[in-house]
Amino acid sequence: MDWWLDPFQVSFVWHALIGGILVSLICALAGTWVVLRGMAFLGDAMSHGMLLGVAVASLIGVNLLVGALVSAGAMALGVSAIGRSPKLSQDTGIGLLFAGMLALGVIVVSHSESFAVDLTAFLFGDVLGVRPRDLAYLAVALGVCAVIALLGHRLFVALAFDARKAHTLGMRPRLAHVLLLALLTLAIVASFHIVGTLLVFGLLVAPPAAAALWANRIPMIMLGAAVLGVVSTALGLVVSWHAGTAAGATIAAVAVALFFVSAIGRGVAGRNRTQ
């Protein structure tokens, strides 16, 4: 038992646990729709496209979260604008903006002599450096995400299953898409400084995907994703403490590993039912 509890006797690990739990809850709310809507590529593009905003914010001395929010918001608006063209698919817009914003971000970084450390934190996060102020930001972000998810639930459901039918029923799919992009943007921006942009994708997709293998109702998928995210955070912190590995990367790796365990378990359960 001490093997499990000893790491959390240290204050910065305890803060990391609370921060990881808040991030897990945020990612469960947004990630469920990412999985159901097939928006994984968009989530990946937004998380990497934030490099431009973060780099510019670092150079001019603005809070990195502001730069990340502006950059992710610009990506979301750009994808929506390009997606309206009848000659271009949404994936085309995502790919173009992803490549363009990432390229500009790298150019900005290449002209900065002092951005190496900040870039490392941007890519890989600093979950063990979570401060009480960060926890307050995450709590506010969780509250806003919960409000968006609650108010937009019926719209998101209609959009996820049949956007054309939702339009005929007056469910306003465009508004639903905008709200969904806002939810995804907020989740990514709030989470990136905890586990990094390269790793936030793990918590955003793996727990909801694992839960979706077992649950048929959307609230149950969200609940399962939240539980798996919290388990991934706690287990990842324990493993990283004893193994001396990077905490954020370990959390993301555990989340992905739990998905494969869930997939294997689902496959075994399916075979047993057919026998």
Side-chain angles (χ1 to χ4, degrees), residues 2-260:
D2 291 341
W3 191 87
W4 290 96
L5 297 179
D6 281 348
F8 303 111
Q9 303 302 317
V10 182
S11 61
F12 65 83
V13 180
W14 179 248
H15 288 160
L17 176 63
I18 298 175
I21 290 174
L22 292 173
V23 168
S24 297
L25 297 178
I26 292 172
C27 288
L29 291 172
T32 296
W33 298 110
V34 169
V35 171
L36 294 178
R37 282 275 295 155
M39 299 170 63
F41 182 35
L42 175 59
D44 187 34
M46 289 180 65
S47 62
H48 287 75
M50 286 192 306
L51 176 60
L52 175 59
V54 172
V56 172
S58 177
L59 289 177
I60 65 177
V62 178
N63 190 299
L64 299 185
L65 286 176
V66 175
L69 182 60
V70 171
S71 188
M75 170 75 79
L77 292 175
V79 168
S80 296
I82 295 177
R84 293 178 182 177
S85 172
K87 296 184 178 181
L88 296 175
S89 67
Q90 187 179 58
D91 283 349
T92 300
I94 294 171
L96 289 171
L97 290 170
F98 177 23
M101 294 183 70
L102 184 59
L104 289 175
V106 172
I107 290 172
V108 173
V109 170
S110 67
H111 282 279
S112 174
E113 298 178 355
S114 60
F115 196 60
V117 175
D118 291 332
L119 179 59
T120 301
F122 170 78
L123 293 174
F124 303 109
D126 187 17
V127 67
L128 296 180
V130 175
R131 298 163 294 180
R133 183 179 62 182
D134 297 323
L135 298 178
Y137 289 154
L138 287 172
V140 172
L142 175 58
V144 175
C145 284
V147 170
I148 294 175
L150 181 62
L151 295 179
H153 182 76
R154 292 181 68 251
L155 295 176
F156 296 162
V157 171
L159 183 66
F161 290 100
D162 193 336
R164 292 184 179 180
K165 188 173 181 180
H167 180 71
T168 60
L169 294 175
M171 298 296 289
R172 305 181 67 183
R174 284 191 178 182
L175 174 61
H177 187 65
V178 171
L179 288 176
L180 192 54
L181 287 178
L183 180 62
L184 179 58
T185 299
L186 182 58
I188 292 174
V189 171
S191 305
F192 90 91
H193 69 296
I194 302 297
V195 293
T197 60
L198 292 180
L199 305 174
V200 67
F201 200 58
L203 285 178
L204 193 65
V205 175
L213 294 174
W214 298 91
N216 294 322
R217 298 177 62 243
I218 292 174
M220 295 306 298
I221 295 176
M222 287 184 177
L223 178 60
V227 171
L228 289 172
V230 171
V231 171
S232 299
T233 298
L235 184 57
L237 287 172
V238 171
V239 171
S240 69
W241 175 268
H242 292 289
T245 56
T250 306
I251 292 171
V254 170
V256 174
L258 288 178
F259 164 77
F260 286 109

